[in-house]
Amino acid sequence: GQGVEQPDNLMSVEGTFARVNCTYSTSGFNGLSWYQQREGHAPVFLSYVVLDGLKDSGHFSTFLSRSNGYSYLLLTELQIKDSASYLCAVRDRNYGGSGNKLIFGTGTLLSVKP
Amino acid sequence: EAGVTQSPRYAVLQEGQAVSFWCDPISGHDTLYWYQQPRDQGPQLLVYFRDEAVIDNSQLPSDRFSAVRPKGTNSTLKIQSAKQGDTATYLCASSLRDRGANTEVFFGKGTRLTVV
């Protein structure tokens, strides 16, 4: 069946890096998005990937392996303000019309310590 | 450019009461989504529209929930008889129809509903 899985929590140290993992199962993969969500706020779009490999966007980079149903979001040079929940969302072309529908994971709460 | 606007920001109801949530998407966005996000969970799609047409409402509890987008712009989500299990944040989002690279979905700030 369909599903998007993420670890609940992740802790890292300011100035270092953090890798947020996401595994998914879908019948008609049509891309994967990453969102940042702070407590009490709406999700904010970070990145979209549909092809295998690493996509470097500076502070955020994303990796995708379609054959393994796996993606990660890499945050480098962490700052305290990067503490937030990071949501992985998959598009499935076989689910809900044109495939523009996002299926979200439960999110990973990243805590960045001094 | 104005973002997705939702109102009210907060609502507190007793079980059995009704409530409506309103959403104004980004101008020109033909696709509008309503998500339910319980605390400590990811958003779960309830319904989405392309223009005024419902594309998928398979996860909308049809006995108590309804959603409309009559002119293909603003939308209203209504809960007829709220239950404690409906306690969650209700997020509205909009996007342009998927045209390959343009796949970003923009979210509103949400309405936080508490049913006591």
Side-chain angles (χ1 to χ4, degrees), chain B residues 4-78:
Chain B
V4 178
T5 306
Q6 291 187 246
S7 66
R9 290 296 315 279
Y10 303 93
V12 180
L13 304 176
Q14 293 187 332
E15 279 199 314
Q17 288 187 310
V19 65
S20 291
F21 307 136
W22 179 83
C23 174
D24 186 7
I26 292 173
S27 178
H29 280 191
D30 54 5
T31 307
L32 184 147
Y33 314 78
W34 283 102
Y35 282 86
Q36 181 192 60
Q37 186 174 23
R39 187 171 178 80
D40 297 329
Q41 295 186 35
Q44 297 156 25
L45 185 70
L46 293 174
V47 58
Y48 85 98
F49 298 85
R50 176 125 334 110
D51 299 317
E52 69 279 2
V54 173
I55 303 300
D56 182 4
N57 63 357
S58 58
Q59 302 305 310
L60 193 69
S62 58
D63 57 333
R64 298 184 300 109
F65 285 63
S66 62
V68 294
R69 193 187 185 198
K71 297 182 180 179
T73 51
N74 300 337
S75 178
T76 302
L77 175 70
K78 183 174 183 178

